[in-house]
Amino acid sequence: MSTWPYPFLFAHRGGGDLAPENTLAGMIKAVETGFGAVEFDVKLTADDVCVLLHDDTLERTSDGFGAMASKRFAELSGIDAGSWKDPIYVGTPIPAFSDIGLYCVRNGLHANVEIKPCPGRELETGRLVAQDAALLWQGEAVPPLLSSFSYEALQAAVAEAPWLPVGWLIDEWEYDWRERLQALEAVSLHCNQRLLNAQRVAEVRDAGYQLLAYTVNGPERALQLKNWGVSGVFTDALGVMRGVEGLE
């Protein structure tokens, strides 16, 4: 990408700490709070529908139970994915990726789509998320940025839609990051913010890659990372981070 089109602040899992994660309510909250970009997680149902969910199971963020990999899309109807956060969100559904993608496009909301495969479903998840993303953002000036901890899923996504930008997610420092990014023709490396110092940021940027950091909830750390050359941060603290001078 000749110019980086995404804003510095991404609302983590949609609404950060202000709304139930990975829901339409979260995306709406991000827009209401003035965010121009969101990050959210996408995985597959048993019948290969792309839906938003972080965990492999339903219990933490809904009143459903069991593994997502065992659920058909129709079985998700009626599951409440909002009241765990606040009673005002009772009845909030687990959304299809298609619905969230359309919302983002219609509202000019940039997206980092994290491919989050259920165990053993890396290749098909990467392929189908990329397929849906390519269709949903067809003709848009700024495509979604696809990322994943699963290198296999990213390989499948690149094979399916090589024109979509991808970034590799890491939670521990990988000393072969340069070779791995080059093999993917990736545009970015996404790191746990605790891994980063000025030298590492400089090395990644000097190699020609963007660098994004998660999860950054303090303005001072966010400003430090930006001054080092980090291109974006994912935050839960929407109310704290929005409007801080220097974090536009």
Side-chain angles (χ1 to χ4, degrees):
M1 307 178 82
S2 56
T3 57
W4 186 245
Y6 308 102
F8 183 72
L9 293 175
F10 286 76
H12 188 223
R13 301 182 191 172
D17 58 13
L18 299 180
E21 65 181 61
N22 288 314
T23 63
L24 178 58
M27 310 305 151
I28 293 171
K29 183 61 68 174
V31 171
E32 290 175 349
T33 313
F35 272 67
V38 290
E39 179 269 355
F40 51 85
D41 307 288
V42 180
K43 59 194 336 115
L44 295 181
T45 63
D47 51 346
D48 291 340
V49 177
C50 295
V51 297
L52 270 63
L53 190 73
H54 178 275
D55 298 0
D56 292 326
T57 57
L58 295 167
E59 284 83 354
R60 182 178 65 84
T61 56
S62 80
D63 63 357
F65 62 92
M68 176 59 80
S70 71
K71 306 293 184 182
R72 299 178 67 83
F73 183 67
E75 295 178 76
L76 303 181
S77 177
I79 288 178
D80 177 0
S83 59
W84 67 272
K85 180 67 176 176
D86 191 291
I88 65 171
Y89 293 113
V90 64
T92 298
I94 295 173
F97 177 34
S98 57
D99 291 334
I100 299 302
L102 287 173
Y103 179 83
C104 290
V105 169
R106 289 170 179 170
N107 289 275
L109 195 57
H110 298 305
N112 179 173
V113 180
E114 183 179 340
I115 304 169
K116 203 83 172 178
C118 297
R121 305 207 68 195
E122 288 79 10
L123 295 180
E124 55 262 56
T125 306
R127 178 176 62 83
L128 292 174
V129 171
Q131 187 178 97
D132 277 7
L135 180 62
L136 291 164
W137 274 266
Q138 185 175 14
E140 294 299 311
V142 180
L145 175 60
L146 307 183
S147 65
S148 187
F149 288 102
S150 169
Y151 198 80
E152 288 181 288
L154 288 176
Q155 288 176 313
V158 169
E160 179 66 27
W163 56 90
L164 293 178
V166 300
W168 185 33
L169 267 161
I170 58 173
D171 195 46
E172 298 293 339
W173 192 251
E174 302 285 349
Y175 287 91
D176 62 347
W177 59 264
R178 187 181 282 100
E179 292 77 16
R180 302 288 292 275
L181 293 178
Q182 186 176 13
L184 281 173
E185 296 187 5
V187 300
S188 54
L189 182 66
H190 301 209
C191 299
N192 188 318
Q193 60 91 17
R194 66 178 174 79
L195 302 178
L196 296 177
N197 54 42
Q199 180 181 346
R200 283 179 171 173
V201 173
E203 288 175 355
V204 174
R205 296 308 308 272
D206 289 347
Y209 298 103
Q210 307 292 330
L211 186 59
L212 290 87
Y214 68 92
T215 303
V216 183
N217 293 326
E220 289 186 3
R221 177 60 167 166
L223 286 167
Q224 180 184 53
L225 292 168
K226 187 174 184 181
N227 289 336
W228 286 346
V230 168
S231 306
V233 299
F234 306 100
T235 185
D236 291 318
L238 274 61
V240 173
M241 303 286 271
R242 188 71 184 100
V244 174
E245 186 176 354
L247 293 184
E248 296 81 10

